[in-house]
Amino acid sequence: MKPSESLGRLFCVVGESLLLYLGDSSLWSHPGNEKLKESLSDLVAVNRSLLSRIASAMATIEGTPQVLEYPIRFTATHDLDVEFLSGVVASDFRARSETCSELLRLCHADDQSDALVSSLLQEVRDSTLEYAVQLEQLRRGIHLLSAAE
């Protein structure tokens, strides 16, 4: 897979995520735990920064990044509790981490690996998995506190 193709797919992996959709929609008006909302907000900012770096890398390799579109299925999240949504976002992170692993494998298999592209793929793979774990731990802590009350 060419570096430009890998970057294009990575741009979609990060940019068309449920997390960024929630950041662009009314996540903050969803009912639920404020600590979870704050954590999701922080992750939105981190992922926007990462998306910007991917777009910059794309610009140096092939020009303007493509226009992103969120999947229509994300519109079904508007009435959901933020605690439930955080679990869905964690699952989405795990799936995106797997996609990055597959992209890395394809890049290295074609022997067209580019150091910057590989680095970005690894960073997204590792960070999305880390974010999933963090959200899951936060959700478990909230469940424990709720049970204790």
Side-chain angles (χ1 to χ4, degrees):
M1 178 177 289
K2 294 179 186 175
S4 60
E5 292 174 64
S6 298
L7 279 175
R9 290 189 55 194
L10 182 60
F11 189 73
C12 290
V13 164
V14 174
E16 294 177 349
S17 68
L18 176 58
L19 176 71
L20 292 185
Y21 174 80
L22 292 172
D24 284 344
S25 69
S26 60
L27 169 65
W28 326 127
S29 66
H30 285 265
N33 184 283
E34 291 301 315
K35 185 159 175 79
L36 270 174
K37 288 181 190 181
E38 185 179 311
S39 295
L40 289 169
S41 177
D42 292 346
L43 290 175
V44 167
V46 168
N47 277 265
R48 286 204 193 291
S49 174
L50 185 55
L51 187 63
S52 177
R53 288 180 37 226
I54 296 166
S56 293
M58 288 176 74
T60 61
I61 292 177
E62 69 175 27
T64 308
Q66 63 208 51
V67 174
L68 295 171
E69 293 182 15
Y70 295 117
I72 192 73
R73 65 182 156 72
F74 288 173
T75 61
T77 63
H78 288 270
D79 297 325
L80 299 175
D81 173 276
V82 74
E83 190 174 333
F84 177 81
L85 280 172
S86 64
V88 177
V89 169
S91 295
D92 188 56
F93 276 146
R94 287 189 180 280
R96 289 174 192 283
S97 180
E98 287 298 316
T99 299
C100 289
S101 291
E102 180 63 18
L103 288 172
L104 266 169
R105 190 190 64 73
L106 290 172
C107 283
H108 294 292
D110 288 348
D111 208 25
Q112 293 186 1
S113 182
D114 174 273
L116 175 62
V117 174
S118 291
S119 172
L120 284 168
L121 281 167
Q122 289 170 358
E123 181 179 351
V124 172
R125 179 197 61 197
D126 296 345
S127 64
T128 53
L129 191 55
E130 180 183 325
Y131 301 151
V133 169
Q134 288 174 2
L135 281 174
E136 290 161 352
Q137 288 174 342
L138 184 57
R139 290 181 75 232
R140 274 194 297 276
I142 289 168
H143 283 296
L144 291 174
L145 286 174
S146 296
E149 292 174 352

